[in-house]
Amino acid sequence: MRCKKCGRAAVINMRQYKLALCETHYVGWIQAQTERYIHEYQMFSRDERVLVAVSGGKDSLALWEVLLDLQYQVDGLYIDLGIGGDAGYSDQSLGKIRQFLAGRPTAARLHVIDLEEEYGATITEAARLTRRGKAKPCSVCGLIKRHVMNRVARQGGYDVLATGHNLDDEAAVLFGNTMQWQIGYLARQAPVLPASAEGLARKVKPFCRFHERETAAYALVRGIDYLYEECPYAVGASSIRYKIVLSEMERNSPGTKLQFYLGFLRARKAGAFEGAAETRPEMRPCRMCGQPTTAGDQCAFCRLWETVDARRSSQ
Ligand code: AMP
Ligand code: FES
Ligand code: ZN
Ligand code: ZN
Protein backbone atom coordinates (compact mmCIF):
# COMPACT_ATOMS: atom_id res chain seq x y z
CA MET A 1 0.00 0.00 0.00
CA ARG A 2 1.36 3.43 -1.03
CA CYS A 3 0.75 6.91 0.40
CA LYS A 4 -1.87 8.73 -1.69
CA LYS A 5 0.07 12.00 -1.35
CA CYS A 6 3.72 11.05 -1.97
CA GLY A 7 3.85 7.38 -3.02
CA ARG A 8 6.04 6.21 -0.10
CA ALA A 9 5.08 3.17 1.97
CA ALA A 10 1.80 3.76 3.82
CA VAL A 11 1.49 3.19 7.58
CA ILE A 12 -2.31 3.18 7.55
CA ASN A 13 -5.15 2.58 5.13
CA MET A 14 -8.44 4.22 6.11
CA ARG A 15 -10.95 2.27 4.06
CA GLN A 16 -13.87 4.55 4.93
CA TYR A 17 -12.06 7.47 3.25
CA LYS A 18 -10.23 5.35 0.64
CA LEU A 19 -7.09 7.02 1.97
CA ALA A 20 -3.68 5.43 2.63
CA LEU A 21 -0.92 7.64 4.10
CA CYS A 22 2.77 7.46 4.99
CA GLU A 23 4.10 8.36 8.44
CA THR A 24 4.67 12.06 7.70
CA HIS A 25 1.42 12.63 5.87
CA TYR A 26 -0.54 10.67 8.48
CA VAL A 27 0.70 12.89 11.34
CA GLY A 28 -0.15 15.97 9.25
CA TRP A 29 -3.61 14.56 8.49
CA ILE A 30 -4.39 13.89 12.19
CA GLN A 31 -3.30 17.42 13.09
CA ALA A 32 -5.28 19.05 10.28
CA GLN A 33 -8.43 17.02 11.02
CA THR A 34 -8.21 17.81 14.74
CA GLU A 35 -7.91 21.51 13.94
CA ARG A 36 -10.87 21.21 11.58
CA TYR A 37 -13.12 19.55 14.21
CA ILE A 38 -12.11 22.13 16.85
CA HIS A 39 -13.31 24.90 14.49
CA GLU A 40 -16.33 23.08 13.10
CA TYR A 41 -17.79 22.38 16.55
CA GLN A 42 -16.49 25.68 18.02
CA MET A 43 -14.64 23.87 20.81
CA PHE A 44 -12.08 26.51 21.84
CA SER A 45 -9.70 29.17 20.56
CA ARG A 46 -5.98 29.77 21.02
CA ASP A 47 -6.78 32.47 23.60
CA GLU A 48 -8.47 29.97 25.87
CA ARG A 49 -6.84 27.65 28.40
CA VAL A 50 -7.53 23.96 27.91
CA LEU A 51 -7.28 21.22 30.53
CA VAL A 52 -6.93 17.79 28.96
CA ALA A 53 -7.90 14.81 31.13
CA VAL A 54 -5.23 12.16 30.61
CA SER A 55 -5.65 8.51 31.60
CA GLY A 56 -2.33 7.09 30.36
CA GLY A 57 -4.13 5.50 27.40
CA LYS A 58 -3.42 6.20 23.72
CA ASP A 59 -6.30 8.59 23.03
CA SER A 60 -5.73 11.16 25.76
CA LEU A 61 -1.91 11.15 25.40
CA ALA A 62 -2.22 11.53 21.62
CA LEU A 63 -4.73 14.34 22.11
CA TRP A 64 -2.43 16.16 24.51
CA GLU A 65 0.43 15.94 22.02
CA VAL A 66 -1.63 17.08 19.02
CA LEU A 67 -3.00 20.08 20.95
CA LEU A 68 0.53 21.03 22.05
CA ASP A 69 1.81 20.69 18.47
CA LEU A 70 -1.07 22.87 17.27
CA GLN A 71 0.10 25.56 19.76
CA TYR A 72 -2.95 25.50 22.01
CA GLN A 73 -2.53 26.44 25.69
CA VAL A 74 -3.01 23.03 27.23
CA ASP A 75 -2.19 21.36 30.56
CA GLY A 76 -2.97 17.84 31.76
CA LEU A 77 -4.96 16.34 34.61
CA TYR A 78 -4.59 12.81 35.94
CA ILE A 79 -6.93 11.45 38.60
CA ASP A 80 -5.24 8.68 40.56
CA LEU A 81 -8.13 6.42 41.57
CA GLY A 82 -5.93 3.96 43.47
CA ILE A 83 -6.91 0.93 41.36
CA GLY A 84 -4.79 -2.19 41.81
CA GLY A 85 -2.64 -1.05 44.75
CA ASP A 86 1.13 -0.44 44.50
CA ALA A 87 2.41 -0.86 40.94
CA GLY A 88 -1.15 -1.69 39.85
CA TYR A 89 -3.35 -0.16 37.13
CA SER A 90 -3.43 3.43 38.47
CA ASP A 91 0.31 3.55 39.25
CA GLN A 92 1.16 2.18 35.80
CA SER A 93 -1.13 4.76 34.16
CA LEU A 94 0.64 7.61 35.95
CA GLY A 95 4.00 6.07 35.02
CA LYS A 96 3.11 6.26 31.32
CA ILE A 97 2.04 9.90 31.65
CA ARG A 98 5.27 10.88 33.42
CA GLN A 99 7.26 9.02 30.77
CA PHE A 100 5.35 10.92 28.05
CA LEU A 101 6.20 14.25 29.70
CA ALA A 102 9.85 13.36 30.28
CA GLY A 103 10.35 12.82 26.56
CA ARG A 104 8.69 16.09 25.59
CA PRO A 105 10.33 19.19 26.97
CA THR A 106 7.37 21.54 26.74
CA ALA A 107 5.78 24.09 29.02
CA ALA A 108 2.87 21.73 29.68
CA ARG A 109 1.94 21.17 33.28
CA LEU A 110 0.41 18.07 34.84
CA HIS A 111 -2.05 18.22 37.74
CA VAL A 112 -2.30 14.97 39.69
CA ILE A 113 -5.21 14.41 42.05
CA ASP A 114 -4.74 11.40 44.33
CA LEU A 115 -8.19 10.32 45.48
CA GLU A 116 -7.01 8.53 48.62
CA GLU A 117 -4.78 11.42 49.68
CA GLU A 118 -7.35 14.16 49.05
CA TYR A 119 -10.60 12.45 49.96
CA GLY A 120 -9.48 9.55 52.16
CA ALA A 121 -10.36 6.47 50.08
CA THR A 122 -9.53 4.75 46.81
CA ILE A 123 -12.31 4.19 44.27
CA THR A 124 -12.49 0.50 45.24
CA GLU A 125 -12.90 1.39 48.91
CA ALA A 126 -15.44 4.16 48.22
CA ALA A 127 -17.55 1.82 46.07
CA ARG A 128 -17.40 -0.95 48.67
CA LEU A 129 -18.40 1.33 51.56
CA THR A 130 -21.29 2.97 49.72
CA ARG A 131 -22.30 -0.30 48.02
CA ARG A 132 -23.19 1.93 45.09
CA GLY A 133 -20.89 0.01 42.85
CA LYS A 134 -21.99 -3.44 44.08
CA ALA A 135 -19.34 -5.67 42.47
CA LYS A 136 -17.93 -2.92 40.21
CA PRO A 137 -17.08 0.69 41.06
CA CYS A 138 -17.67 2.05 37.53
CA SER A 139 -20.71 4.24 38.29
CA VAL A 140 -19.04 5.72 41.40
CA CYS A 141 -15.94 6.23 39.27
CA GLY A 142 -17.85 8.16 36.59
CA LEU A 143 -19.39 10.43 39.21
CA ILE A 144 -16.04 11.09 40.91
CA LYS A 145 -14.13 11.72 37.68
CA ARG A 146 -16.75 14.19 36.42
CA HIS A 147 -16.69 16.12 39.69
CA VAL A 148 -12.90 16.24 40.08
CA MET A 149 -12.34 17.21 36.42
CA ASN A 150 -14.77 20.06 36.82
CA ARG A 151 -13.29 21.17 40.13
CA VAL A 152 -9.72 21.31 38.81
CA ALA A 153 -10.83 23.10 35.64
CA ARG A 154 -12.70 25.71 37.66
CA GLN A 155 -10.04 26.23 40.33
CA GLY A 156 -7.23 26.34 37.80
CA GLY A 157 -9.01 28.99 35.71
CA TYR A 158 -9.32 26.74 32.63
CA ASP A 159 -11.96 27.66 30.04
CA VAL A 160 -12.52 24.17 28.76
CA LEU A 161 -12.04 20.52 29.65
CA ALA A 162 -11.01 18.09 26.88
CA THR A 163 -11.24 14.30 27.00
CA GLY A 164 -9.81 11.70 24.64
CA HIS A 165 -13.11 10.01 23.69
CA ASN A 166 -12.82 8.59 20.17
CA LEU A 167 -15.41 7.51 17.58
CA ASP A 168 -15.53 3.95 18.92
CA ASP A 169 -16.35 5.31 22.41
CA GLU A 170 -18.98 7.72 21.11
CA ALA A 171 -20.62 5.18 18.78
CA ALA A 172 -20.79 2.61 21.63
CA VAL A 173 -22.41 5.13 24.01
CA LEU A 174 -24.83 6.15 21.26
CA PHE A 175 -25.66 2.50 20.57
CA GLY A 176 -26.37 1.86 24.28
CA ASN A 177 -28.49 4.98 24.69
CA THR A 178 -30.44 4.17 21.54
CA MET A 179 -31.02 0.53 22.56
CA GLN A 180 -32.62 1.79 25.77
CA TRP A 181 -34.11 4.96 24.25
CA GLN A 182 -32.45 7.16 26.84
CA ILE A 183 -33.69 10.38 25.28
CA GLY A 184 -32.25 12.58 28.04
CA TYR A 185 -28.76 11.12 27.54
CA LEU A 186 -29.10 11.36 23.75
CA ALA A 187 -29.96 15.05 24.09
CA ARG A 188 -26.68 15.63 25.94
CA GLN A 189 -24.30 13.55 23.81
CA ALA A 190 -22.24 15.91 21.64
CA PRO A 191 -18.67 16.89 20.68
CA VAL A 192 -19.18 20.05 22.80
CA LEU A 193 -21.19 20.32 25.97
CA PRO A 194 -21.52 24.01 26.84
CA ALA A 195 -21.09 25.06 30.49
CA SER A 196 -24.78 24.78 31.42
CA ALA A 197 -24.35 26.68 34.70
CA GLU A 198 -21.92 29.01 36.43
CA GLY A 199 -19.09 26.88 37.88
CA LEU A 200 -19.28 24.11 35.28
CA ALA A 201 -16.58 23.75 32.61
CA ARG A 202 -17.33 23.45 28.89
CA LYS A 203 -16.54 19.87 27.85
CA VAL A 204 -15.11 18.94 24.48
CA LYS A 205 -14.06 15.78 22.63
CA PRO A 206 -11.72 16.82 19.79
CA PHE A 207 -11.03 13.16 18.79
CA CYS A 208 -14.70 12.13 18.54
CA ARG A 209 -14.42 11.49 14.77
CA PHE A 210 -11.24 9.36 14.85
CA HIS A 211 -11.49 5.58 14.99
CA GLU A 212 -9.63 3.85 17.80
CA ARG A 213 -7.23 2.29 15.29
CA GLU A 214 -6.41 5.77 13.98
CA THR A 215 -5.41 7.15 17.40
CA ALA A 216 -3.49 3.91 18.09
CA ALA A 217 -1.63 4.31 14.77
CA TYR A 218 -0.84 7.94 15.60
CA ALA A 219 0.57 6.92 19.03
CA LEU A 220 2.66 4.20 17.40
CA VAL A 221 4.07 6.49 14.70
CA ARG A 222 4.93 9.19 17.26
CA GLY A 223 6.51 6.73 19.71
CA ILE A 224 3.98 7.40 22.47
CA ASP A 225 4.23 4.54 24.93
CA TYR A 226 0.80 4.09 26.55
CA LEU A 227 -0.98 1.65 28.81
CA TYR A 228 -2.60 -1.02 26.62
CA GLU A 229 -4.71 -2.58 29.36
CA GLU A 230 -8.24 -1.44 30.04
CA CYS A 231 -9.26 -0.74 33.63
CA PRO A 232 -9.64 -4.17 35.33
CA TYR A 233 -13.21 -3.25 36.30
CA ALA A 234 -14.19 -2.70 32.65
CA VAL A 235 -14.12 -6.44 31.89
CA GLY A 236 -17.58 -7.51 30.75
CA ALA A 237 -18.92 -3.94 30.47
CA SER A 238 -21.77 -3.52 27.99
CA SER A 239 -19.85 -0.75 26.18
CA ILE A 240 -17.17 -3.31 25.24
CA ARG A 241 -19.82 -5.64 23.79
CA TYR A 242 -21.31 -2.77 21.78
CA LYS A 243 -17.85 -1.92 20.44
CA ILE A 244 -17.40 -5.51 19.24
CA VAL A 245 -20.78 -5.48 17.43
CA LEU A 246 -20.09 -2.10 15.80
CA SER A 247 -16.59 -3.13 14.72
CA GLU A 248 -18.02 -6.24 13.07
CA MET A 249 -20.43 -4.03 11.10
CA GLU A 250 -17.58 -1.65 10.21
CA ARG A 251 -15.51 -4.55 8.89
CA ASN A 252 -18.28 -5.54 6.47
CA SER A 253 -19.16 -2.00 5.56
CA PRO A 254 -16.44 0.64 6.13
CA GLY A 255 -17.85 3.97 7.28
CA THR A 256 -20.69 2.49 9.36
CA LYS A 257 -19.56 3.94 12.69
CA LEU A 258 -19.01 7.41 11.28
CA GLN A 259 -22.37 7.34 9.48
CA PHE A 260 -24.14 6.26 12.67
CA TYR A 261 -22.51 9.02 14.73
CA LEU A 262 -22.70 11.86 12.18
CA GLY A 263 -26.32 10.96 11.30
CA PHE A 264 -27.16 11.23 14.99
CA LEU A 265 -25.41 14.62 15.30
CA ARG A 266 -27.41 15.90 12.31
CA ALA A 267 -30.69 14.70 13.85
CA ARG A 268 -29.71 16.26 17.16
CA LYS A 269 -28.87 19.57 15.48
CA ALA A 270 -32.22 19.50 13.68
CA GLY A 271 -33.88 19.40 17.12
CA ALA A 272 -34.84 15.69 17.33
CA PHE A 273 -34.15 15.61 21.11
CA GLU A 274 -34.91 19.20 22.08
CA GLY A 275 -37.87 18.45 24.33
CA ALA A 276 -35.78 16.03 26.42
CA ALA A 277 -33.07 18.59 27.12
CA GLU A 278 -35.60 21.07 28.49
CA THR A 279 -37.02 18.64 31.06
CA ARG A 280 -33.80 18.66 33.14
CA PRO A 281 -34.31 19.97 36.68
CA GLU A 282 -32.83 23.33 37.55
CA MET A 283 -29.20 23.50 38.74
CA ARG A 284 -28.32 24.97 42.13
CA PRO A 285 -24.95 25.22 43.90
CA CYS A 286 -24.14 22.44 46.37
CA ARG A 287 -24.02 23.82 49.91
CA MET A 288 -20.79 21.93 50.64
CA CYS A 289 -18.61 22.27 47.53
CA GLY A 290 -20.41 24.95 45.53
CA GLN A 291 -20.53 22.91 42.32
CA PRO A 292 -23.89 23.22 40.49
CA THR A 293 -26.14 20.19 40.94
CA THR A 294 -29.63 19.02 40.03
CA ALA A 295 -29.77 16.89 43.21
CA GLY A 296 -31.10 19.52 45.65
CA ASP A 297 -28.80 21.39 48.06
CA GLN A 298 -26.10 18.68 48.29
CA CYS A 299 -24.44 17.19 45.22
CA ALA A 300 -24.09 13.43 44.65
CA PHE A 301 -20.30 13.68 45.09
CA CYS A 302 -20.48 15.27 48.56
CA ARG A 303 -23.24 12.85 49.58
CA LEU A 304 -21.04 9.95 48.50
CA TRP A 305 -18.11 11.03 50.69
CA GLU A 306 -20.43 11.67 53.62
CA THR A 307 -21.63 8.06 53.34
CA VAL A 308 -18.05 6.77 53.02
CA ASP A 309 -17.05 8.62 56.24
CA ALA A 310 -20.14 7.50 58.14
CA ARG A 311 -19.81 3.83 57.15
CA ARG A 312 -16.13 3.81 57.93
CA SER A 313 -16.55 5.21 61.43
CA SER A 314 -19.33 2.68 62.15
CA GLN A 315 -17.11 -0.28 61.20
P1 AMP B 1 -12.61 6.06 29.55
O1 AMP B 1 -13.88 6.42 30.25
O2 AMP B 1 -11.67 5.29 30.42
O3 AMP B 1 -12.80 5.52 28.18
O4 AMP B 1 -11.87 7.45 29.34
C1 AMP B 1 -12.40 8.46 28.55
C2 AMP B 1 -11.56 9.72 28.72
O5 AMP B 1 -11.67 10.17 30.07
C3 AMP B 1 -10.06 9.54 28.48
O6 AMP B 1 -9.75 9.67 27.13
C4 AMP B 1 -9.49 10.64 29.31
O7 AMP B 1 -9.57 11.87 28.63
C5 AMP B 1 -10.43 10.70 30.51
N1 AMP B 1 -9.95 9.89 31.66
C6 AMP B 1 -10.21 8.59 31.93
N2 AMP B 1 -9.63 8.19 33.07
C7 AMP B 1 -9.00 9.27 33.59
C8 AMP B 1 -8.20 9.53 34.76
N3 AMP B 1 -7.99 8.57 35.67
N4 AMP B 1 -7.69 10.76 34.94
C9 AMP B 1 -7.94 11.75 34.04
N5 AMP B 1 -8.67 11.57 32.92
C10 AMP B 1 -9.19 10.36 32.68
FE1 FES C 1 -13.20 3.83 36.74
FE2 FES C 1 -12.43 1.60 35.84
S1 FES C 1 -11.64 3.52 35.36
S2 FES C 1 -13.89 1.89 37.35
ZN1 ZN D 1 3.20 10.51 2.10
ZN1 ZN E 1 -20.90 19.06 46.57
Side-chain angles (χ1 to χ4, degrees):
M1 193 69 62
R2 301 266 137 207
C3 173
K4 198 170 176 177
K5 301 218 167 141
C6 70
R8 278 188 292 160
V11 290
I12 189 163
N13 180 26
M14 294 175 281
R15 283 171 65 201
Q16 76 279 15
Y17 302 125
K18 294 188 176 58
L19 182 65
L21 294 171
C22 71
E23 212 172 292
T24 312
H25 283 118
Y26 184 56
V27 170
W29 182 83
I30 287 279
Q31 290 174 339
Q33 293 297 101
T34 306
E35 184 78 305
R36 193 187 127 202
Y37 304 147
I38 290 171
H39 283 279
E40 188 172 327
Y41 298 114
Q42 300 179 351
M43 293 186 174
F44 45 83
S45 69
R46 283 189 174 72
D47 298 330
E48 291 183 299
R49 292 181 63 222
V50 183
L51 181 66
V52 57
V54 281
S55 64
K58 61 185 179 324
D59 304 299
S60 49
L61 286 179
L63 174 62
W64 197 0
E65 179 166 274
V66 171
L67 294 182
L68 285 170
D69 285 345
L70 291 172
Q71 312 282 309
Y72 284 101
Q73 301 182 55
V74 53
D75 292 335
L77 162 67
Y78 175 65
I79 305 167
D80 188 336
L81 301 159
I83 298 172
D86 281 348
Y89 178 76
S90 292
D91 279 1
Q92 287 173 32
S93 305
L94 181 56
K96 295 293 182 195
I97 298 169
R98 293 218 190 277
Q99 195 180 320
F100 169 86
L101 278 177
R104 286 164 182 79
T106 64
R109 192 173 151 213
L110 174 70
H111 302 266
V112 178
I113 301 293
D114 185 316
L115 209 62
E116 192 172 20
E117 244 172 66
E118 287 209 23
Y119 296 99
T122 63
I123 195 83
T124 316
E125 184 75 347
R128 186 184 66 80
L129 286 166
T130 55
R131 291 190 212 106
R132 254 187 82 130
K134 299 227 170 67
K136 291 184 179 209
C138 300
S139 73
V140 180
C141 179
L143 166 72
I144 288 178
K145 280 197 290 205
R146 273 195 303 279
H147 183 99
V148 173
M149 284 177 192
N150 203 71
R151 192 202 94 196
V152 177
R154 189 182 51 165
Q155 290 177 346
Y158 293 94
D159 301 287
V160 55
L161 176 83
T163 52
H165 291 95
N166 59 38
L167 179 62
D168 292 62
D169 298 325
E170 292 303 290
V173 168
L174 177 58
F175 194 81
N177 288 340
T178 309
M179 288 287 279
Q180 283 136 33
W181 288 113
Q182 298 270 19
I183 303 289
Y185 288 154
L186 288 167
R188 273 171 277 135
Q189 188 181 352
V192 178
L193 211 57
S196 51
E198 185 67 32
L200 286 184
R202 184 188 330 146
K203 300 196 181 78
V204 299
K205 301 169 192 165
F207 275 6
C208 64
R209 286 172 64 165
F210 291 134
H211 285 81
E212 196 174 310
R213 69 183 282 266
E214 291 159 10
T215 59
Y218 175 88
L220 192 75
V221 162
R222 295 299 300 243
I224 298 175
D225 184 17
Y226 60 89
L227 196 67
Y228 291 87
E229 288 85 48
E230 293 262 6
C231 164
Y233 296 121
V235 176
S238 51
S239 58
I240 295 185
R241 290 201 306 277
Y242 296 151
K243 280 185 183 175
I244 294 170
V245 171
L246 289 163
S247 293
E248 178 61 26
M249 289 164 74
E250 180 80 24
R251 209 172 2 260
N252 293 325
S253 179
T256 301
K257 282 182 208 171
L258 204 54
Q259 222 171 25
F260 180 44
Y261 184 58
L262 295 183
F264 159 72
L265 291 185
R266 273 195 299 276
R268 190 180 174 276
K269 200 171 171 188
F273 307 103
E274 235 151 53
E278 284 159 14
T279 57
R280 276 198 104 190
E282 204 195 321
M283 294 241 182
R284 271 187 283 148
C286 166
R287 68 179 149 80
M288 298 181 77
C289 70
Q291 209 172 98
T293 174
T294 53
D297 69 344
Q298 189 185 17
C299 77
F301 180 85
C302 290
R303 215 167 333 120
L304 178 107
W305 289 106
E306 211 170 66
T307 311
V308 168
D309 291 343
R311 296 253 162 89
R312 187 180 275 141
S313 51
S314 71
Q315 273 185 358

